[in-house]
Amino acid sequence: MSQVSLSPNLKKAIEEFKLPETLGFGNVMAPVMATCTYENGLWGAVELKPYGPITMQPNAKVLHYAQEIFEGMKAYRVNGKGPYIFRPDENFLRFNKSAERMAMPHIPHQIFTQAVFDVTAYCADFVPRRSGESLYLRPFMFASEESLGIRPSEKFTFMVIASPSGSYFNDGQGLSVYIERDNCRAFPGGTGFAKTGGNYAAGLSAAIKTKNLGFVQTLWLDAVHKKYIEEMSGMNVFVVINNELFTSTLGDTVLDGITRKSLMSLATDMGYKVTETQIDIDYLISQIKNGTCTEAFACGTAAIITPINYFGDANGERYPLYFPEGKISMILREKLLAIQEGREVDNYHWIKTIEPKKI
Ligand code: COI
């Protein structure tokens, strides 16, 4: 990691920052951000700045053509040691896969990690300490070339911002999931597997419908048959049938979740059978109704593992799970969090320890 000299403004921002008691998710922003620009085929140097507004011309391509990608990562400090970042190289690899799909340049490993690690190191005191809380890290890249021509941009900005955060979902609210049978999030050959803002924007009108119908999350079905479960916009989904775990196959329409992948390894090593397969929504409903499917859960960086209370349809039908608060899902959640938070030996070598930096 680089030894950078901090500007007086940045030192002041760090000195004056106070971690509030109530966090929520993504609302409180840490005082340090990193930026790095790409021009003429070259990346510049990573700069650290106080968190604050950025300027761009109204004709910057990202504002019109949505050439943008991002990642979600977390740093933990629950036992006071660390900070620990979970599987940063997986985020780096996925970032560059998203970049390729969106006609953006690859970012070098050194720039990605320096920006993420430096922001974490200078914000080490602002990583919340309660279990389940973390410093949520958001690396992102956008097209900054000023032109309205529809061509891939030739100028890009890469940034990392961070947010001391609690749970993504309101605790105790329970996750109710609306089965979206009309709109689609992704289609074969599209951008569904990439972490690009447009995929999330495409889900927002369904999010309004989901909320108006009294649900918390939208479950997407495949665009071709409108039949097979895909994902839930910001997180992957698992179901438990006869004590075995099932999750959707990836293809190019589902995000390759790092929590999903980690859980598949953990669950297998804990003796559970885990299968990636096409899950027919009507088969799933029949298995919930006859009591064979006992639980289901959402998983993702932000969501961690959150049990699903019930699925439901627009006609008012509800399909409640036998274990709405989770059983296997809570065992897996505790195991995963214990590794992420440094409370348990990390036999998987998933944790990167960051040396805190003082100003
Ligand atoms: C994450 O889990 O990091 C995401 O990017 C999803 C988003 C809903 C916060």
Side-chain angles (χ1 to χ4, degrees), residues 261-333:
K261 178 183 298 188
S262 307
L263 282 179
M264 288 175 65
S265 305
L266 279 180
T268 305
D269 294 350
M270 289 165 81
Y272 295 104
K273 184 157 186 266
V274 184
T275 307
E276 287 176 280
T277 184
Q278 287 192 311
I279 305 167
D280 180 326
I281 185 64
D282 293 321
Y283 169 75
L284 177 66
I285 291 171
S286 71
Q287 298 301 290
I288 296 174
K289 284 184 173 167
N290 73 18
T292 321
C293 173
T294 44
E295 59 185 302
F297 59 91
C299 72
T301 301
I304 316 176
I305 295 177
T306 308
I308 293 170
N309 286 6
Y310 58 86
F311 293 95
D313 267 305
N315 62 8
E317 275 214 69
R318 301 282 184 268
Y319 318 110
L321 276 311
Y322 188 76
F323 292 122
E325 271 119 45
K327 193 176 160 210
I328 295 175
S329 45
M330 293 316 274
I331 297 170
L332 293 173
R333 181 187 156 99

Side-chain angles (χ1 to χ4, degrees), residues 109-238:
H109 184 258
Q110 184 271 329
I111 292 180
F112 185 89
T113 51
Q114 181 189 338
V116 169
F117 295 172
D118 276 351
V119 168
T120 307
Y122 283 109
C123 292
D125 287 345
F126 316 132
V127 183
R129 308 293 169 100
R130 288 173 292 217
S131 183
E133 294 183 340
S134 58
L135 182 70
Y136 183 77
L137 296 152
R138 175 52 67 87
F140 61 108
M141 181 185 357
F142 57 89
S144 45
E145 186 184 328
E146 294 114 7
S147 163
L148 295 181
I150 303 188
R151 300 181 296 277
S153 178
E154 294 189 352
K155 282 162 69 177
F156 294 91
T157 302
F158 168 68
M159 299 187 68
V160 178
I161 55 175
S163 172
S165 289
S167 331
Y168 186 72
F169 295 112
N170 288 343
D171 285 333
Q173 190 183 11
L175 203 54
S176 51
V177 175
Y178 170 60
I179 304 163
E180 173 57 73
R181 295 186 189 256
D182 301 320
N183 279 354
C184 293
R185 171 191 171 272
F187 49 87
T191 59
F193 70 93
K195 217 156 164 62
T196 181
N199 290 338
Y200 297 78
L204 294 179
S205 63
I208 296 173
K209 183 160 66 164
T210 297
K211 191 165 172 230
N212 288 344
L213 288 167
F215 296 88
V216 175
Q217 271 294 310
T218 315
L219 178 70
W220 297 104
L221 304 181
D222 78 286
V224 177
H225 310 93
K226 300 237 177 121
K227 185 171 166 168
Y228 299 110
I229 289 179
E230 297 220 309
E231 58 157 273
M232 301 207 297
S233 305
M235 52 216 77
N236 296 109
V237 63
F238 279 80

